[in-house]
Amino acid sequence: MDYSIIRQARGLLVFTITRAAKRNAVNFEVMEGLKKAIEQAKGEDVRALVITGEGEQAFCSGGDLSVFHELRTEEQAYGMLSKMAEILYSLAVLPKPTVALINGTAVGGGCEIAAACDYRIARIGAKLGFIQGGLAITTGWGGGTLLLERTNASHALKLLTEASVYRAEQLDHIGWINKVVEKASVIEVEQFLEKELSMYSGVLSAYKEIQVRKWQETDLHGRILQEVRTCAQLWAQEEHHQAVDAFLDKNS
């Protein structure tokens, strides 16, 4: 199995991508696993959902290009992109606190998963970047839209359009990384959420609902789907396929 879902002490539910050999890249099985974890996190005995990756090298390197590069047309791409975008939207509006525990590199779709979470705790030196522009596409799982909800618009636009990779410490000062730690562990999450984990869960859900109502008023879901469609259109262009071919050749 390419993922694990484990209940920890104090009501934490931990979803881990267990594809260390693939730098924890997302495939369809990981998508289904994350969907299951989000559903389980709605249970009364769960106080918060934590998402992380196996090992110490990568949180998530985005979509598995060895699988998704088989998608050539706009509609083929849209099917995959919209599936993950719906999952990340469900993650964003989950009525429980959510934490991306960034244990290593988070690039491309990995950053989009992190953007869907309420909080981001990252290991010192972890590399992060919305690198999609270098592959001649945009964010396609809703991550660009969510990033613009999570941080200052000018900072978000810079991160998206530069398509560069940064260290976690560089993103701490703009507030997108909430805490930088020596070692990414569940203990760090417990310390970060210490007060929340001892609070009545109905209070936490009520505050999340305030945020969700705002997003409903500004049609977050519709804006995410527009982002997906734009990415799918770019995905079908020859520039993207050539960029992915070059990337795969470089890393083979």
Side-chain angles (χ1 to χ4, degrees):
M1 189 176 289
D2 290 339
Y3 64 89
S4 68
I5 303 174
I6 299 175
R7 292 178 184 270
Q8 300 276 6
R10 303 194 67 186
L12 290 180
L13 185 69
V14 181
F15 173 81
T16 305
I17 304 173
T18 57
R19 306 188 74 213
K22 292 282 189 178
R23 299 185 64 79
N24 294 323
V26 172
N27 58 12
F28 287 112
E29 184 173 333
V30 171
M31 287 186 187
E32 287 303 314
L34 182 53
K35 188 175 180 180
K36 288 180 184 178
I38 293 168
E39 284 302 311
Q40 289 185 28
K42 295 176 182 177
E44 291 185 8
D45 58 334
V46 176
R47 308 301 302 277
L49 174 61
V50 181
I51 298 173
T52 192
E54 180 183 54
E56 298 184 354
Q57 296 302 309
F59 168 74
C60 174
S61 59
D64 189 339
L65 294 179
S66 67
V67 176
F68 297 148
H69 192 38
E70 299 293 321
L71 308 174
R72 309 297 291 186
T73 69
E74 178 181 336
E75 288 309 308
Q76 286 173 339
Y78 185 82
M80 179 275 291
L81 296 170
S82 60
K83 179 181 177 67
M84 188 58 169
E86 293 288 359
I87 294 170
L88 292 191
Y89 177 76
S90 297
L91 176 61
V93 301
L94 181 71
K96 304 285 178 74
T98 56
V99 180
L101 182 58
I102 302 170
N103 54 301
T105 299
V107 292
C111 273
E112 297 196 57
I113 293 173
C117 293
D118 297 316
Y119 306 110
R120 284 148 295 281
I121 298 174
R123 176 176 59 77
I124 290 175
K127 296 178 180 179
L128 303 94
F130 291 86
I131 62 171
Q132 289 89 334
L135 295 176
I137 55 172
T138 61
T139 50
W141 291 344
T145 301
L146 289 164
L147 177 65
L148 283 156
E149 295 289 332
R150 300 293 189 192
T151 191
N152 177 280
S154 60
H155 289 316
L157 190 62
K158 188 71 169 172
L159 290 177
L160 294 169
T161 55
E162 274 194 345
S164 297
V165 175
Y166 305 84
R167 294 187 309 279
E169 308 90 281
Q170 294 175 281
L171 301 178
D172 183 26
H173 76 283
I174 67 172
W176 193 59
I177 297 298
N178 300 99
K179 186 178 182 182
V180 177
V181 296
E182 288 285 346
K183 182 176 177 60
S185 67
V186 173
I187 293 174
E188 292 289 353
V189 177
E190 290 178 347
Q191 292 176 348
F192 182 77
L193 294 178
E194 181 178 3
K195 289 183 169 53
E196 289 93 331
L197 293 177
S198 62
M199 192 173 294
Y200 172 51
S201 61
V203 172
L204 303 178
S205 296
Y207 279 129
K208 280 292 295 277
E209 284 300 320
I210 292 175
Q211 183 179 48
V212 171
R213 285 197 295 272
K214 173 194 170 186
W215 284 341
Q216 289 171 338
E217 290 172 0
T218 61
D219 192 21
L220 176 68
H221 184 255
R223 288 186 284 129
I224 284 175
L225 291 182
Q226 288 175 348
E227 174 185 331
V228 172
R229 179 57 70 183
T230 298
C231 181
Q233 291 169 349
L234 291 169
W235 189 289
Q237 301 301 310
E238 192 57 34
E239 288 83 355
H240 169 61
H241 297 307
Q242 289 176 353
V244 174
D245 286 336
F247 177 83
L248 293 174
D249 288 343
K250 179 182 177 182
N251 291 276
S252 61

